[in-house]
Amino acid sequence: MMLTECKVWRNALSLFRGSEYNRFLWTARKEPLTYYDMNLSAQDHQTFFICEADAGKPEYEIMQTAWRERDPLQRIKAAHDALTKNPECTPAYILLAEEEASTIVESEKLFKQALKVAEGNYRRSQQLQHLSPMQEALHRRDTNVLVYLKRRLAMCARKLGKLREAVKMMRDLMKEFPMLNVFNIHENLIEALLEMQCYADVQAVLAKYDGSIKERFYIAISYTHKAVQHGLRWCPDINLPKSATICYTAALLKARGVSDKFSPDVASKRGLSTAEMNAVEAIHRAVEFNPHVPKYLLEMKSLILPPEHILKRGDSEAIAYAFFHLPHWKRVEGALNLLHCTWEGTFRMIPYPLEKGHLFYPYPTCTESTDRELLPAFHEVSVYPKKELPFFILFTAGLCSLTALLALLTHQYPEPMGVLARTVVSWLSLPVSFLLDKVEAVLPSSLLHQLSRI
């Protein structure tokens, strides 16, 4: 069982290539996406939007190759060719909405066209799904297309400021397809609710996906024996799926209750209250899960556009979270100040994070190499913060080592070391002799005579 396996996930809040990523490319003349990231997206699209039942259909065969094209103009041309052969080819509409549309409004229009076709396909395949494995695969494909379109339409509404409409679409989608978690729609919902400042609704979503204390306890009990077999420290959170969005949003909600009146000076004198302690523990929990987020939230490190795929607990996830959630932290008075004062305390609780975790599994060692593949070359990838030893300890260790070395050499080679010591002393005395000669030359002899008598 690989506990530190680095699995790459689709970014639930990924941007639109045509209207967002390309705008950065035209302005900065830098590629915002890596080939590795785009190749993963192509594999996703082939898996979600094409199935074995589409074999022999020319429009779907065109789209099968279109996703793999490296040149965006060739991909767009292939999508138009597919629509020429079949005006109801939904994958072609999706590609055009993602890559050809230069504004969110244009993307929304294309997604709505595709949605009309997708809803009809879904109803037809739903009735026939039990007839054969081929029909079942077709229905699964139609379900993926329908969910993808509705989620992207909800994201369009969110970007266009239609927050209530976006939240309703996301809630309906989660209610209609409760078992389809591959798109992580709840993370889109959390972000939209935070923008509306509906904190009670956000707490309700977290209660479902993060779990209450009681739920975490009973889930953890069932894994205790398995954890012991692998030499792990048992704890409530360790076996539940997490994300930076869930952990840091939970910390934000707890910080919201105390951050406006929090003062580190006052807290150091009287101690932390229960509410403040809960907020600090939530921040420590979030930082243990992903230690890269605070530097982006505190603007100690510059943000870039988030990739289309992220690695949980890695720098890519931290960028994706901070890119969308930094305004929500700024909106809560004192939240960033509380984070600034407390986040580094997490590393005192976990002296050896790569070997032993506290609330989660040990931090994966493979995150850095995977993040370098996901993030563009002009970005400096963040690595797990290493503990820096104080200068006094380093100086003392160096001095002791030098003294021990000199003692050993003196014992083994007494005569050469004696010559060396006399040579060093003579060298060190040269500047002193030089200064004394200069002083004698400048000052009168009577003054020197009086000073010698004193």
Side-chain angles (χ1 to χ4, degrees):
M1 177 179 172
M2 283 293 295
L3 300 175
T4 59
E5 181 183 1
C6 289
K7 180 180 179 181
V8 175
W9 299 74
R10 181 82 182 178
N11 182 6
L13 296 167
S14 59
L15 303 176
F16 294 87
R17 287 189 188 178
S19 55
E20 292 175 309
Y21 286 119
N22 281 351
R23 189 179 302 172
F24 174 84
L25 175 61
W26 299 331
T27 304
R29 302 296 179 186
K30 294 179 180 178
E31 287 286 351
L33 298 173
T34 63
Y35 174 69
Y36 176 71
D37 191 17
M38 291 191 289
N39 188 50
L40 290 175
S41 296
Q43 294 175 21
D44 291 341
H45 295 149
Q46 287 176 312
T47 304
F48 291 150
F49 306 144
I50 298 173
C51 66
E52 54 268 29
D54 298 321
K57 298 178 182 178
E59 67 274 18
Y60 283 97
E61 290 181 353
I62 290 174
M63 292 307 302
Q64 181 80 14
T65 57
W67 297 120
R68 294 197 297 265
E69 283 286 349
R70 296 191 64 172
D71 185 2
L73 296 178
Q74 290 297 322
R75 290 197 296 270
I76 292 170
K77 181 179 180 298
H80 282 293
D81 291 344
L83 285 175
T84 302
K85 295 185 178 297
N86 181 5
E88 295 188 349
C89 181
T90 50
Y93 281 114
I94 290 173
L95 190 148
L96 295 177
E98 293 282 355
E99 302 199 32
E100 186 181 41
S102 58
T103 64
I104 300 297
V105 175
E106 292 177 20
S107 295
E108 185 181 43
K109 183 179 178 182
L110 287 166
F111 280 133
K112 285 181 177 179
Q113 285 182 259
L115 183 62
K116 291 179 181 178
V117 178
E119 287 177 332
N121 292 340
Y122 175 77
R123 285 192 293 269
R124 284 193 296 271
S125 63
Q126 190 177 27
Q127 298 173 355
L128 304 174
Q129 61 176 312
H130 303 296
L131 296 181
S132 67
M134 195 73 74
Q135 290 293 334
E136 186 178 353
L138 189 64
H139 178 65
R140 188 164 55 249
R141 189 277 311 272
D142 291 339
T143 303
N144 291 335
V145 170
L146 184 65
V147 172
Y148 184 89
L149 286 170
K150 287 187 174 183
R151 185 178 72 92
R152 290 306 254 179
L153 277 170
M155 293 177 68
C156 287
R158 160 66 183 93
K159 293 175 185 291
L160 294 172
K162 299 180 284 188
L163 295 175
R164 293 188 181 278
E165 179 183 340
V167 167
K168 183 180 183 304
M169 292 172 71
M170 293 173 193
R171 289 189 187 280
D172 292 344
L173 195 54
M174 292 167 65
K175 188 182 297 183
E176 188 177 359
F177 302 98
M179 302 303 293
L180 197 61
N181 293 324
V182 68
F183 294 114
N184 290 325
I185 303 166
H186 61 277
E187 296 195 5
N188 298 91
L189 178 61
I190 287 172
E191 197 279 326
L193 289 172
L194 285 173
E195 181 65 21
M196 295 173 66
Q197 300 183 49
C198 298
Y199 297 110
D201 292 337
V202 174
Q203 186 65 60
V205 177
L206 287 179
K208 181 178 180 182
Y209 288 94
D210 197 14
S212 64
I213 299 298
K214 185 176 179 181
E215 287 172 340
R216 290 203 295 267
F217 177 78
Y218 283 118
I219 292 174
I221 286 293
S222 64
Y223 285 90
T224 304
H225 179 66
K226 187 182 292 185
V228 170
Q229 284 181 330
H230 290 90
L232 298 171
R233 176 183 175 181
W234 172 79
C235 58
D237 277 347
I238 206 166
N239 293 293
L240 288 174
K242 293 289 180 296
S243 68
T245 299
I246 288 175
C247 292
Y248 278 89
T249 302
L252 175 62
L253 293 186
K254 290 189 176 179
R256 178 173 167 266
V258 298
S259 59
D260 57 335
K261 299 176 182 177
F262 178 79
S263 170
D265 296 331
V266 175
S268 62
K269 293 177 182 177
R270 63 164 170 79
L272 295 173
S273 65
T274 303
E276 289 172 339
M277 184 64 73
N278 290 336
V280 171
E281 287 178 354
I283 289 173
H284 286 176
R285 171 177 179 256
V287 174
E288 182 186 348
F289 183 82
N290 192 317
H292 311 290
V293 172
K295 285 192 175 182
Y296 293 109
L297 291 180
L298 298 171
E299 298 181 88
M300 298 165 64
K301 195 172 182 188
S302 58
L303 274 170
I304 61 171
L305 295 186
E308 293 182 337
H309 289 80
I310 61 171
L311 181 65
K312 288 193 176 184
R313 307 186 73 180
D315 191 31
S316 52
E317 185 191 35
I319 291 169
Y321 172 79
F323 186 86
F324 293 98
H325 288 261
L326 178 56
H328 307 320
W329 278 82
K330 287 184 174 181
R331 191 178 293 123
V332 176
E333 184 182 355
L336 289 175
N337 177 50
L338 180 61
L339 178 68
H340 175 72
C341 295
T342 57
W343 75 279
E344 290 181 324
T346 309
F347 306 117
R348 289 193 292 270
M349 300 165 52
I350 321 171
Y352 304 102
L354 302 181
E355 301 171 14
K356 184 178 180 182
H358 179 59
L359 295 174
F360 301 97
Y361 289 127
Y363 189 79
T365 56
C366 58
T367 53
E368 183 180 352
S369 57
T370 307
D371 275 332
R372 291 191 189 281
E373 295 286 338
L374 288 172
L375 298 170
F378 60 82
H379 173 72
E380 183 182 351
V381 175
S382 176
V383 296
Y384 197 98
K386 294 182 174 64
K387 280 193 170 184
E388 294 184 0
L389 291 174
F391 173 76
F392 177 74
I393 294 178
L394 295 174
F395 176 76
T396 306
L399 188 61
C400 291
S401 301
L402 181 61
T403 305
L405 179 62
L406 291 174
L408 178 63
L409 291 174
T410 304
H411 178 73
Q412 292 291 332
Y413 311 102
E415 292 184 5
M417 288 301 294
V419 174
L420 179 63
R422 286 191 293 272
T423 305
V424 171
V425 170
S426 63
W427 285 349
L428 293 176
S429 65
L430 284 176
V432 178
S433 303
F434 178 77
L435 287 174
L436 288 175
D437 292 340
K438 287 293 183 183
V439 169
E440 288 179 358
V442 172
L443 296 178
S445 59
S446 60
L447 178 61
L448 291 175
H449 180 66
Q450 291 296 328
L451 289 174
S452 64
R453 289 181 64 184
I454 294 172

